[in-house]
Amino acid sequence: EYCGRRATLIVNNIFLVLSSLFLAFAPVWWFQAIGRIFVGIVAGVATAVVPTYFSEISPIAIRGGIGTMHQLGITIGILISQALSTPSLNLLGSETRWKWLFFVPVACGLLEVLVLPFCPESPSYLYSTKGKAAAREAIVKLQSEKVADQYVEYIREEVESTEGENKLTVLELFRDKHLRKQLIVGVTVQLMMQFSGIDAVLYYSTRVFYQAGVADPELATTLLGTINVLVTIFAVKYMDVAGRKTLLKWSWMGMITSYSLLTASFILKPYVNLMDQLSIVATTGVIIFFAFGPGCIAWFIIAEIFPLRARDTAMAIGIFINWVANWLVAFTFPILLEYTQPFTFLVFCGTTSFFLYFTINYVPETKGLTMSQVTKEFANTYFPFIDG
């Protein structure tokens, strides 16, 4: 909000380099703790700013596809880290070479520092801080002269709809009755990403492969990362064709089915053959259906449903809740696994079923809509706990 999207991302690389150095060369344990804190700062800033930046520089017609590029970058990063750390690939996954893993993000950060200064700032941010001419210049660089005036007009309508109103603080956003529906949807979609159980499945996938007798469970997990990337590429292509709500609905139905099959495979394993193989199929299904639904949409939907005066604050709240939920799942899942086997994943059948219900009834379709149109969609959506 104060220095712009581009400058924020450039400064964020300071923490990226520091985190890698602290983790790679820690002489005592608390150096690694500090490194992990810096990692949290880097991840928090990047996951808040990048989707907002992508949404604000994108033409409306392909805004979803551009927004999904954020998740594509994450999945590619996960795949690279999995491949480099897989012992059987003989890259960096050994006791003697593991420290070199931390120089990969440093290289990525240096690349960003070199490239990002040549990228235009967000037109929406420029309109608010430097005026129409600066915003138009950025749009010409990002898109074309032909659409510049049309896009500036879209930004002008968005800004003037809240003219005279200051940027909202966290407390003011929670108190704003006109944005309460957007806040509920934005927060719930962030919770969808984590309480869908995807991290639990990723943590558990190597064990599933081991129980199924796979010769190299770590390599099999890396191959799942490849599938994750491929499905996210599919999501980039079809996000602005099928729409956010449609992809979310199919995603939840697929995840409910996959979790049901995964639970059945654990329950029936002592009695029926091929249950280990079924567990592999179900685990893969969970990852596939997650990848083209909440895995992509959760990152950028806040930028699509909140006006400019509330966007940065809403994104900060959403990302904070997302990472808290991530920690909660990581912390509680081993306990859940210990005391609820073989019914552990029935919990996620329940959460994904609720998210399907919520998506059908309360999440509006934002494909191809301007901010004023999205606001009308929310006004026409009945929330019993708000509208009475």
Side-chain angles (χ1 to χ4, degrees), residues 31-49:
F31 265 60
Q32 291 226 338
I34 293 174
R36 293 295 295 272
I37 291 172
F38 285 150
V39 169
I41 293 172
V42 173
V45 171
T47 51
V49 177

Side-chain angles (χ1 to χ4, degrees), residues 219-230:
L219 181 59
T221 299
T222 300
L223 294 176
L224 277 184
T226 305
I227 294 173
N228 201 5
V229 171
L230 294 176

